[in-house]
């Protein structure tokens, strides 16, 4: 059976599934329940030194649902922990001693002064936790106080605080990055330059979920007024995957350990982030949607996947997908696919024809010999796969690689192998270089 054990910066856990710093990791009772359910580790909800943190008493969450009420995205306006620092530290120490085989990382956020960071690091170190995560990502509430994403959006601040923390603690330092920035590579580079041992990403995306058209106020609202919050859940996974990939393949940050966060709901989501280079994955919304026992399905699913593929450990496939992420200009324009409709599976709903007629290339007929039948016109199909995306039947429409013929877009023969695509005259990058 596959071995799911991980060793991230020397922090060992029985599996790569950690709970992210969030409401589920706010106190001892929650964390113990999580460990009993099988979670490999937790990042304790963000601690600070401000004794006046007060969360709203009212709706803290907004949601986007699919037609079946499945939760697609979650927004929250909750601040860092509003529990006394001393109580949190006592509970962290107690839980770590009772569960020594689980990863225990503590999230931190204090004002941007070296003395503040030095003081809280000293106290956290006494808990015997495994490491700290610097919260430079929270986009609401704390950012207005000069913390959270207000720091994470300034690479110079990231580097400065990371360096302070490395000077004042022996524990591994993980920098949690905000996605609310133009290019995620710059804060990651700053974290590495400041001596950080790893980065975690993504934190939540600044957002307003919806507008209550009766109250004429953002939802959720508290006593008639609302504010922007942090967006998370399955909907943010593509954004998180891209940002993880950008850091993993950047020449200046290659090799920097990554703990991935963002919409991880199933074992497959976790496997995708690991294949993109992540050493652990952090989960929040899925636990808040389904409860802690969802980790059982994640563990079982990842184990079965690894057994089927012959992977003995996480390291056997970590980062395997990363080298295949490239820039658009290096994609092979000599590769051609055409859509093919399986007539045995087709339910004749007509969605493929309608979207292709209205918004694409008029490449699907709706009548054959006077009968309602949907077939692809190869001479018009450009292989965009919109039809396959909107088809309600799994595998009814597939994209078939072509091995012979002439591409009407370019006039080149497709399917023909070229020894060096980067210098082929049909490659945009080669054209740019020639000019």
């Amino acid at each position: 059976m596959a071995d799911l054990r991980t060793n991230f910066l020397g922090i060992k856990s029985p599996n790569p599934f950690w709970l992210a710093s969030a409401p589920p990791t706010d106190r001892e009772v929650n964390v113990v329940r999580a460990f009993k359910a099988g979670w490999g580790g937790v990042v304790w909800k963000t601690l600070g030194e401000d004794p006046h943190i007060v969360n709203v008493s009212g709706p803290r969450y907004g949601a986007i649902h699919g037609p079946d009420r499945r939760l697609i995205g979650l927004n929250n306006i909750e601040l860092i922990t509003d529990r006394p620092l001393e109580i949190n530290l006592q509970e962290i120490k107690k839980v770590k001693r009772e569960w020594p085989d689980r990863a225990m990382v503590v999230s931190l956020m204090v004002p941007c002064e070296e003395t503040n960071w030095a003081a809280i690091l000293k106290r956290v170190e006494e808990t015997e936790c495994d490491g700290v995560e610097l919260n430079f990502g929270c986009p609401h509430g704390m950012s207005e106080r000069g913390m959270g994403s207000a720091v994470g959006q300034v690479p110079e601040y990231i580097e400065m605080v990371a360096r302070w923390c490395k000077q004042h603690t022996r524990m591994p330092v993980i920098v949690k990055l905000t996605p609310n920035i133009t290019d995620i590579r710059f804060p990651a580079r700053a974290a590495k330059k400041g001596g950080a041992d790893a980065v975690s990403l993504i934190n939540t995306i600044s957002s307003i979920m919806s507008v209550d058209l009766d109250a004429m106020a953002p939802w959720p609202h508290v006593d008639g007024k609302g504010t922007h919050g942090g967006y998370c859940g399955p909907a943010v996974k593509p954004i998180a995957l891209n940002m993880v990939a950008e850091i993993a393949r950047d020449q200046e940050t290659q090799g920097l350990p990554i703990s991935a966060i963002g919409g991880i709901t199933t074992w497959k989501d976790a496997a995708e982030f690991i294949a993109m280079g992540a050493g652990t994955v952090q989960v929040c919304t899925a636990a808040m949607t389904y409860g802690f026992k969802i980790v059982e399905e994640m563990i079982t699913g990842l184990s079965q996947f690894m057994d089927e593929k012959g992977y003995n450990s996480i390291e056997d496939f970590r980062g395997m997908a990363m080298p295949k992420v490239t820039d658009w200009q290096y994609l092979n324009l000599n590769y051609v696919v055409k859509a093919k409709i399986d007539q045995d599976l087709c339910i004749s709903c007509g969605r493929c024809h309608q979207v292709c007629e209205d918004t694409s290339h008029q490449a699907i007929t709706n009548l054959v010999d006077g009968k309602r039948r949907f077939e692809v016109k190869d001479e018009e199909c450009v292989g965009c796969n919109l039809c396959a995306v909107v088809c309600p039947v799994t595998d009814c429409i597939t994209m078939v690689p072509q091995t012979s013929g002439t591409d009407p877009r370019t006039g080149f023969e497709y399917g023909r192998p070229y020894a060096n695509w980067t210098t082929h005259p049909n490659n945009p990058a080669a054209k740019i270089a020639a000019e």
Side-chain angles (χ1 to χ4, degrees), residues 4 15-19 39-41 266-267 270 281 283 295 298-299 302:
L4 300 188
N15 60 64
F17 301 108
W18 294 4
L19 282 173
W39 291 91
T266 68
W267 70 264
V281 294
V283 179
V295 75
M298 294 179 174
I299 291 170
L302 185 59

Side-chain angles (χ1 to χ4, degrees), residues 143-154:
S143 55
E144 289 90 331
R145 309 181 194 194
M147 293 177 276
S149 63
V151 177
Q153 291 168 340
V154 185

Side-chain angles (χ1 to χ4, degrees), residues 28 32 45 78 125 127 199 236 244 266 288 338 353 383 425:
E28 176 187 354
V32 170
K45 185 170 179 177
E78 187 167 302
E125 201 166 79
T127 68
V199 292
V236 311
V244 166
T266 68
M288 295 180 70
K338 303 287 184 182
H353 166 75

Side-chain angles (χ1 to χ4, degrees), residues 115-284:
T115 53
N116 295 322
W117 284 101
I120 198 167
L121 284 167
K122 181 179 179 181
R123 298 189 69 183
V124 171
E125 201 166 79
E126 292 171 355
T127 68
E128 302 174 8
C129 68
D130 298 303
V132 291
E133 182 180 80
L134 314 186
N135 185 346
F136 296 155
C138 188
H140 57 274
M142 306 307 295
S143 55
E144 289 90 331
R145 309 181 194 194
M147 293 177 276
S149 63
V151 177
Q153 291 168 340
V154 185
E156 292 81 3
Y157 289 175
I158 294 173
E159 180 184 344
M160 176 179 68
V161 179
R163 183 170 287 112
W164 288 344
C165 292
K166 285 302 294 180
Q167 290 172 350
H168 290 287
T169 184
R170 57 173 175 74
M171 297 180 292
V173 173
I174 304 168
V175 169
K176 190 173 188 179
L177 303 178
T178 177
N180 303 297
I181 194 165
T182 305
D183 191 330
I184 197 66
R185 294 175 298 177
F186 293 107
R189 291 170 183 172
K192 184 175 182 180
K193 192 173 180 181
D197 299 290
V199 292
S200 60
L201 69 155
I202 59 175
N203 207 311
T204 53
I205 300 169
S206 187
S207 58
I208 291 178
M209 268 327 237
S210 61
V211 174
D212 182 336
L213 294 177
D214 293 318
M216 282 298 171
W219 177 257
H221 50 75
V222 179
D223 194 24
K225 292 186 178 181
T227 185
H228 66 97
Y231 189 51
C232 55
V236 311
K237 175 190 162 190
I239 299 168
L241 267 176
N242 176 63
M243 290 188 170
V244 166
E246 286 294 283
I247 293 172
R249 72 191 188 100
D250 181 32
Q251 290 295 324
E252 295 187 38
T253 54
Q254 274 187 357
L256 182 66
I258 297 172
S259 183
I261 315 166
I264 298 164
T265 308
T266 68
W267 70 264
K268 186 174 181 294
D269 297 330
E272 290 175 17
F273 277 102
I274 293 169
M276 203 62 80
T280 64
V281 294
Q282 297 185 32
V283 179
C284 173

